[in-house]
């Protein structure tokens, strides 16, 4: 009696099923369109290349309609500003116009039970200085605009017209360079919204330390020092911190500014941060 051949899926069927699974996963993702801040250029609030700043907003609903979660986009800061100006980290014209909202930006209550029905906003990062500077660099006929503070002002002003000024609860968050930005703007957001809203802040992987790296050198200190000077960020750093430190660059480090922040703050950071431990190789 002949042995029966084992039954297997035909390659074409397997490929078709795989495509359906991928398509279903893509379809389930929440894609949110980009909003360019109107008339931002009139106030000088522009990205490194002069393009307008932008954010992505997905509206809240139900009992979350007056809750707002603002998330600063992150991105490596080691690239010089001239290089950043011609890539997506320095120009909204080069950025994806649709962004996937996942994690704390998701609208899935199973994935994001605390914030799924809040107004959720992703602030695009295009100034090269964690939304902290206000200066420009001219080289012949070309101009690099470092206007992070003005971008922050323009976006918050625009969001206020869309209901942020009526918020009851607000969480300001960010990751990496975006997490660093939360230290600079946490108290400012609370002041803008007054006492009507409960504001809290969270930094994810943004607690960069003023310490030696694994090579025995402190390579991040001169980097931050030069960045503060180039971006003209000193005048926007925490005043209490500036009064207590010897050099303005220190107030770009969370370890020095955090004791002076009055708004409730939560920090999420790896004990073995790869970026922090290997700065000398970047």
């Amino acid at each position: 009696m002949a042995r029966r051949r084992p039954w297997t899926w035909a390659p074409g069927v397997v490929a078709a099923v795989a495509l359906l699974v991928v398509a279903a996963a893509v379809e389930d993702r929440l894609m949110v369109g980009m909003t360019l801040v109107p008339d931002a250029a009139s106030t000088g609030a522009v990205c490194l290349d002069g393009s307008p700043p932008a954010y992505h907003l997905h509206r809240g609903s139900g009992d979350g309609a007056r809750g707002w979660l603002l998330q600063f986009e992150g991105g490596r800061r080691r690239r010089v500003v001239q290089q950043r100006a011609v890539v997506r980290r320095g120009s909204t014209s080069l950025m994806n116009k649709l962004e996937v909202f996942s994690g704390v930006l998701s609208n899935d209550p199973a994935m994001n039970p605390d914030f799924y029905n809040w107004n959720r906003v992703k602030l695009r990062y295009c100034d090269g200085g964690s939304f902290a500077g206000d200066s420009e660099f001219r080289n012949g006929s070309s101009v690099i605009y470092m206007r992070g503070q003005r971008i922050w002002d323009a976006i918050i002003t625009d969001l206020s017209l869309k209901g942020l000024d009526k918020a009851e609860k607000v969480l300001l968050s960010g990751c990496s360079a975006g997490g660093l930005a939360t230290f600079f703007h946490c108290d400012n957001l609370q002041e803008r919204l007054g006492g009507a809203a409960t504001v809290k802040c969270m930094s994810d992987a943004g607690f960069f330390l003023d310490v030696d790296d694994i090579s025995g050198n402190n390579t991040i200190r001169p980097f931050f020092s030069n960045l503060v000077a180039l971006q003209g960020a000193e005048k926007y750093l925490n005043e209490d911190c500036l009064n207590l430190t010897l050099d303005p660059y220190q107030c770009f480090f969370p370890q020095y500014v955090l004791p002076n922040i009055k708004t409730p703050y939560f920090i999420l950071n790896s004990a073995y941060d790869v970026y922090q431990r290997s700065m000398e190789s970047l």
Side-chain angles (χ1 to χ4, degrees), residues 142-191:
S142 64
V143 184
I144 304 295
Y145 302 95
M146 293 164 281
R147 301 283 179 75
Q149 179 65 42
R150 298 194 199 193
I151 290 173
W152 163 253
D153 291 337
I155 290 178
I156 295 304
T157 297
D158 196 49
L159 290 176
S160 294
L161 298 174
K162 297 179 178 181
L164 178 60
D165 61 336
K166 297 178 177 62
E168 294 179 347
K169 297 179 180 180
V170 180
L171 176 64
L172 180 65
S173 66
C175 180
S176 188
L180 182 61
T182 63
F183 292 96
F184 307 142
H185 298 294
C186 185
D187 281 348
N188 176 256
L189 182 60
Q190 176 69 83
E191 292 169 4

Side-chain angles (χ1 to χ4, degrees), residues 254-265:
Q255 70 200 74
Y256 302 117
V257 70
L258 181 60
N260 302 287
I261 294 177
K262 303 176 180 63
T263 307
Y265 214 101

Side-chain angles (χ1 to χ4, degrees), residues 155-272:
I155 290 178
I156 295 304
T157 297
D158 196 49
L159 290 176
S160 294
L161 298 174
K162 297 179 178 181
L164 178 60
D165 61 336
K166 297 178 177 62
E168 294 179 347
K169 297 179 180 180
V170 180
L171 176 64
L172 180 65
S173 66
C175 180
S176 188
L180 182 61
T182 63
F183 292 96
F184 307 142
H185 298 294
C186 185
D187 281 348
N188 176 256
L189 182 60
Q190 176 69 83
E191 292 169 4
R192 284 171 174 265
L193 297 178
T198 298
V199 177
K200 297 183 180 181
C201 302
M202 184 187 77
S203 171
D204 180 0
F207 203 96
F208 297 96
L209 293 167
D210 183 17
V211 296
D212 293 346
D213 55 37
I214 58 175
S215 70
N217 299 313
N218 191 322
T219 51
I220 195 171
R221 181 184 296 169
F223 172 61
F224 272 16
S225 179
N226 292 334
L227 183 66
V228 169
L230 178 65
Q231 291 261 349
E234 177 181 351
K235 55 184 174 290
Y236 296 111
L237 298 178
N238 187 286
E239 290 185 9
D240 293 332
C241 178
L242 291 171
N243 291 333
L244 294 171
T245 51
L246 298 176
D247 197 298
Y249 81 83
Q250 291 178 284
C251 296
F252 213 79
F253 282 100
Q255 70 200 74
Y256 302 117
V257 70
L258 181 60
N260 302 287
I261 294 177
K262 303 176 180 63
T263 307
Y265 214 101
F266 179 78
I267 296 169
L268 176 63
N269 223 81
S270 170
Y272 298 96

Side-chain angles (χ1 to χ4, degrees), residues 6 39-40 54 63 73 87 94 99 102 115 123 125 132 134-135 138 144 147 153 156 169 191 216 225 228 250:
D39 301 321
D63 60 3
E73 182 180 28
V87 297
L94 300 176
E99 277 291 298
S102 59
F115 309 111
L123 287 68
Y125 182 33
D134 188 7
S135 67
R138 294 182 177 272
I144 304 295
R147 301 283 179 75
D153 291 337
I156 295 304
K169 297 179 180 180
E191 292 169 4
S225 179
V228 169
Q250 291 178 284

